[in-house]
Amino acid sequence: DAGVIQSPRHEVTEMGQEVTLRCKPISGHDYLFWYRQTMMRGLELLIYFNNNVPIDDSGMPEDRFSAKMPNASFSTLKIQPSEPRDSAVYFCASSSTGTGSGYTFGSGTRLTVV
Amino acid sequence: GQSLEQPSEVTAVEGAIVQINCTYQTSGFYGLSWYQQHDGGAPTFLSYNALDGLEETGRFSSFLSRSDSYGYLLLQELQMKDSASYFCAVRDITNAGKSTFGDGTTLTVKP
């Protein structure tokens, strides 16, 4: 398996623009997570899905953020409109049901909003 | 809810042994996990303790004591490549998909 695949690796956008981050989880994993990492706030869970269904989106900072998982092999995180404070590294991770299995993280998307 | 505390920084020399502690407050969890993250990279899963005791994987070992709400990651025969951030995490027992991560410990290995 190629692991969790995220795109793009880097994104620079202007304030107010829409940003879409993409993620392909590991085949067979039934959990998908979106995390945001900054120096100030560390790793923050934004939202997670189980079997394509959103389970907990309490970490989504504002209505400007939305996430979808239309099928088991694809998820998107959208920010509209983007703001400079959204600048961070966004990680997608997937895991299987067994509680002993760890998360496999993608390489992340480094988002810079100017 | 869950909260975890780790030291922010640890420094050690090559070949030495270092222990990174993690204390937690939780309403219930399945186990304690550890992740490694190199600068500019993604977190990678290292180990998982479901039960009390020591789990060994090569040069790395992880320990859990539920009665003390405490765990640690032990790194032996330190190498320069071990310089990274290390995160402990707990998987919520009431929300089994969800893990909460500590703020991470930055390990610097010096020659």
Side-chain angles (χ1 to χ4, degrees):
Chain A
D1 201 314
V4 176
I5 300 172
Q6 289 187 248
S7 64
R9 287 296 308 273
H10 301 273
E11 177 81 29
V12 180
T13 191
E14 291 186 347
M15 183 173 64
Q17 295 298 304
E18 177 179 297
V19 175
T20 299
L21 311 181
R22 297 172 176 79
C23 175
K24 176 178 167 51
I26 288 176
S27 176
H29 280 187
D30 51 351
Y31 284 93
L32 183 139
F33 308 85
W34 283 101
Y35 279 86
R36 177 171 69 176
Q37 187 175 38
T38 61
M39 289 293 292
M40 292 297 295
R41 301 173 71 95
L43 266 170
E44 301 175 273
L45 176 65
L46 300 177
I47 185 171
Y48 82 93
F49 297 82
N50 180 219
N51 292 321
N52 315 338
V53 176
I55 302 300
D56 184 345
D57 66 353
S58 60
M60 296 285 262
E62 299 170 29
D63 290 346
R64 300 184 295 106
F65 285 68
S66 63
K68 294 182 180 179
M69 191 166 186
N71 57 62
S73 58
F74 184 65
S75 178
T76 59
L77 178 69
K78 186 176 293 186
I79 308 172
Q80 165 64 22
S82 57
E83 296 182 4
R85 59 189 166 132
D86 301 330
S87 297
V89 180
Y90 290 80
F91 287 106
C92 175
S94 69
S95 77
S96 58
T97 296
T99 54
S101 53
Y103 294 2
T104 302
F105 283 80
S107 299
T109 295
R110 182 173 295 276
L111 174 65
T112 304
V113 183
V114 298
Chain B
Q2 326 281 3
S3 68
L4 301 100
E5 287 192 15
Q6 310 176 228
S8 57
E9 296 179 345
V10 172
T11 301
V13 296
E14 250 185 319
I17 299 172
V18 72
Q19 179 173 312
I20 299 173
N21 298 322
C22 175
T23 57
Y24 57 84
Q25 290 186 320
T26 173
S27 52
F29 71 107
Y30 280 112
L32 186 71
S33 300
W34 288 92
Y35 291 79
Q36 178 191 61
Q37 184 179 26
H38 285 100
D39 197 27
T44 57
F45 175 70
L46 289 177
S47 68
Y48 174 74
N49 290 71
L51 304 174
D52 284 5
L54 193 68
E55 295 282 342
E56 297 181 67
T57 309
R59 294 188 297 114
F60 293 2
S61 303
S62 57
F63 173 83
L64 174 63
S65 170
R66 287 178 180 265
S67 59
D68 296 321
S69 296
Y70 164 74
Y72 65 74
L73 180 69
L74 189 73
L75 297 87
Q76 303 182 74
E77 301 172 17
L78 280 175
Q79 301 175 9
M80 298 296 288
K81 67 178 181 179
D82 297 330
S83 292
S85 292
Y86 293 84
F87 296 86
C88 58
V90 292
R91 201 152 184 178
D92 193 334
I93 201 166
T94 59
N95 201 348
K98 178 178 177 178
S99 287
T100 301
F101 285 77
D103 289 337
T105 299
T106 300
L107 170 64
T108 302
V109 180
K110 295 187 173 181

